[in-house]
Amino acid sequence: MIIKPTESELEILNYLWKEGPSTVRQVHDFLSASKDTGYTTTLKLMQIMHDKGVLYRTENGRSHIYVALLDEEETQQDLLGRFVESTFRGSAARLVMQALGNHSTSKEELDEIRELLNNLENKK
């Protein structure tokens, strides 16, 4: 089963991937620092994510502790693959050219890209 997280779900997942097991209050406090969202909205969304199998929930006294069940790297790869397929007709080269053409790239980033390309060429 492929799960495609929504933008709001990704915000929660990103927090849990970074911070680890957390309560709804901790997640809500983080989310509400950057946007106006109610506690009950965060709670309901996390309950839905639990029902969908995206989060695992345990009880700790009166609090529920939530843990991301989706692997961060696998989720990123899946979402990027879908994005490249739907937006750039499957062409990673088009994605890279578009990203580099619309973004001020630092020397360090270019060095990392060169190293990645060299590593990919050496594997062939």
Side-chain angles (χ1 to χ4, degrees):
M1 178 175 79
I2 297 174
I3 297 172
K4 183 179 174 188
T6 66
E7 188 174 326
S8 295
E9 289 173 343
L10 274 174
E11 289 177 319
I12 292 170
L13 285 168
N14 279 318
Y15 177 83
L16 292 172
W17 287 327
K18 182 176 183 245
E19 301 298 330
S22 303
T23 64
V24 175
R25 172 61 57 202
Q26 291 168 313
V27 173
H28 172 72
D29 289 348
F30 171 76
L31 294 177
S32 64
S34 61
K35 67 180 185 178
D36 187 25
T37 184
Y39 176 84
T40 54
T41 302
T42 304
L43 172 63
K44 184 65 178 168
L45 186 54
M46 291 177 74
Q47 288 171 336
I48 291 169
M49 291 172 73
H50 173 261
D51 292 343
K52 287 167 59 174
V54 175
L55 301 181
Y56 175 74
R57 177 179 67 206
T58 61
E59 287 190 38
N60 183 8
R62 288 188 40 174
S63 299
H64 287 99
I65 306 295
Y66 287 85
V67 178
L69 289 178
L70 298 182
D71 179 73
E72 181 177 13
E73 190 169 317
E74 286 179 23
T75 303
Q76 290 171 344
Q77 288 176 352
D78 182 54
L79 291 172
L80 181 60
R82 290 180 198 200
F83 177 72
V84 169
E85 194 59 43
S86 65
T87 308
F88 296 96
R89 297 189 303 269
S91 172
R94 285 177 168 215
L95 167 68
V96 171
M97 289 186 289
Q98 187 71 30
L100 293 177
N102 289 340
H103 177 69
S104 177
T105 309
S106 71
K107 181 182 178 335
E108 292 79 17
E109 288 174 317
L110 289 172
D111 289 344
E112 285 182 50
I113 293 167
R114 272 190 205 91
E115 184 178 338
L116 174 63
L117 291 173
N118 289 338
N119 289 340
L120 289 172
E121 284 180 348
N122 290 336
K123 285 183 181 179
K124 290 184 177 181

